[in-house]
Amino acid sequence: MSIIDLKGIYTAYEGGDKPVINDLSLRVERGEYVVVGGPNSAGKTTLLESINGLVRITHGSAIVCGLDLQSNADEVRRKVGYVIQNFYFDPFTPFTVEQVVMMGRFGRLGLLNRPKNDDYDAAEKAIRLVGIEDLAHKTIGTLSGGQQQKVMIAHNIAKEPEVLMLDEPFSNLDFHAREYLQCIFRDIVRSGTPILMVAHAFDGLPEIRIHLIVMNRGRISLDAFCEASEVESIIRTECVW
Ligand SMILES: Nc1ncnc2c1ncn2[C@@H]1O[C@H](COP(=O)(O)OP(=O)(O)O)[C@@H](O)[C@H]1O
Ligand SMILES: [Mg+2]
């Protein structure tokens, strides 16, 4: 069974006159590292939001984590990790990094249950993996954009999702941090959990087979497998700027 199986989907924003995504089909299997490229406004973010049940699918069928997305969006969101493209934390946001990462467990816990040992372990492990132990007791709003990005990655790793989606997660991170995180992502993929990443910079991609998707104007114009070293040049030639 594919983790993501979209067949001929169309999605539109409320009040939008025409669909942003047009007749798109995509399958993602366990253990795949999927890179999504394409020019601005191609619909990359909208694709991730559709998979996460945040944008209405008007036609077509969408099975995510074995569930029919249209009738199970809440449950799908509990199973999918999603690091959004642009987020902003008010400087006075009262949560520490530790608490924000623990919130990644809330979907499993339910709101009224207190975290158990498993939950503390998963949160601690994610913090250690991403290398943000030194930030654990700081409040999230006082961190730099890049540090906040790492926290949101740790939050989604603590969630132990069935698929991890990331929308331009490296925009505020330097080469060293990108390479470090890419190693973590490689290990996640090797453990079987697929990753679906929208990206613009491809240095530091792990040397594994990449499932490459290029989007143009709401459609997938290329869906192929390639080596990490080929990703950048293929995207360059496939994009309609
Ligand atoms: N909330 C929204 N309401 C209406 N239209 C939107 C919204 N978000 C994005 N769009 C439109 O959808 C199209 C695709 O946007 P997006 O998915 O963000 O592209 P990308 O991530 O590839 O840059 C754009 O034309 C954009 O203007
Ligand atoms: Mg986007």
Side-chain angles (χ1 to χ4, degrees):
M1 184 196 68
S2 309
I3 295 280
I4 296 173
D5 192 355
L6 310 177
K7 288 201 185 90
I9 64 162
Y10 290 74
T11 72
Y13 286 100
E14 293 303 323
D17 51 350
K18 50 183 203 296
V20 172
I21 283 184
N22 293 285
D23 192 17
L24 180 149
S25 299
L26 171 65
R27 281 169 73 155
V28 174
E29 312 293 342
R30 273 180 65 73
E32 283 185 2
Y33 194 126
V34 187
V35 171
V36 182
N40 288 333
S41 334
K44 303 181 297 298
T45 296
T46 306
L47 172 63
L48 299 197
E49 294 201 336
S50 309
I51 293 168
N52 212 20
L54 296 169
V55 185
R56 200 164 54 89
I57 294 175
T58 54
H59 305 281
S61 93
I63 309 288
V64 180
C65 304
L67 296 162
D68 176 18
L69 178 59
Q70 276 122 313
S71 47
N72 301 282
D74 286 344
E75 205 178 337
V76 167
R77 272 194 288 278
R78 280 196 283 275
K79 291 172 181 278
V80 174
Y82 182 27
V83 178
I84 63 173
Q85 182 174 9
N86 297 308
F87 49 81
Y88 169 77
F89 289 101
D90 184 278
F92 299 104
T93 307
F95 299 112
T96 64
V97 165
E98 210 167 38
Q99 288 169 325
V100 171
V101 174
M102 180 58 92
M103 286 172 200
R105 303 296 295 176
F106 284 7
R108 286 168 186 270
L109 269 173
L111 271 180
L112 299 175
N113 296 317
R114 295 182 61 80
K116 300 187 190 62
N117 281 345
D118 279 5
D119 303 303
Y120 286 110
D121 286 350
E124 236 180 82
K125 203 171 131 202
I127 286 173
R128 241 183 302 119
L129 193 64
V130 176
I132 50 172
E133 298 98 317
D134 54 329
L135 306 176
H137 300 294
K138 300 206 163 142
T139 54
I140 181 113
T142 62
L143 305 182
S144 73
Q147 290 171 324
Q148 290 180 355
Q149 255 166 337
K150 287 186 190 172
V151 175
M152 293 321 292
I153 290 168
H155 166 105
N156 280 282
I157 288 175
K159 187 171 176 177
E160 297 179 334
E162 290 185 25
V163 50
L164 176 57
M165 305 198 298
L166 307 113
D167 199 349
E168 304 195 21
F170 301 135
S171 45
N172 290 307
L173 294 169
D174 58 40
F175 179 75
H176 176 74
R178 290 210 293 271
E179 263 200 333
Y180 183 77
L181 288 169
Q182 287 285 15
C183 289
I184 295 172
F185 297 154
R186 180 199 58 205
D187 293 345
I188 289 174
V189 163
R190 282 191 179 149
S191 78
T193 306
I195 285 184
L196 190 71
M197 178 182 312
V198 175
H200 283 297
F202 307 103
D203 47 340
L205 263 184
E207 290 298 323
I208 54 176
R209 231 170 141 57
I210 303 292
H211 182 175
L212 180 60
I213 302 291
V214 181
M215 288 190 71
N216 281 292
R217 305 201 178 107
R219 296 170 192 274
I220 289 179
S221 62
L222 179 119
D223 182 338
F225 287 83
C226 67
E227 301 304 319
S229 57
E230 300 169 316
V231 167
E232 184 146 13
S233 67
I234 296 176
I235 289 183
R236 229 180 258 275
T237 47
E238 268 297 317
C239 279
V240 180
W241 304 106

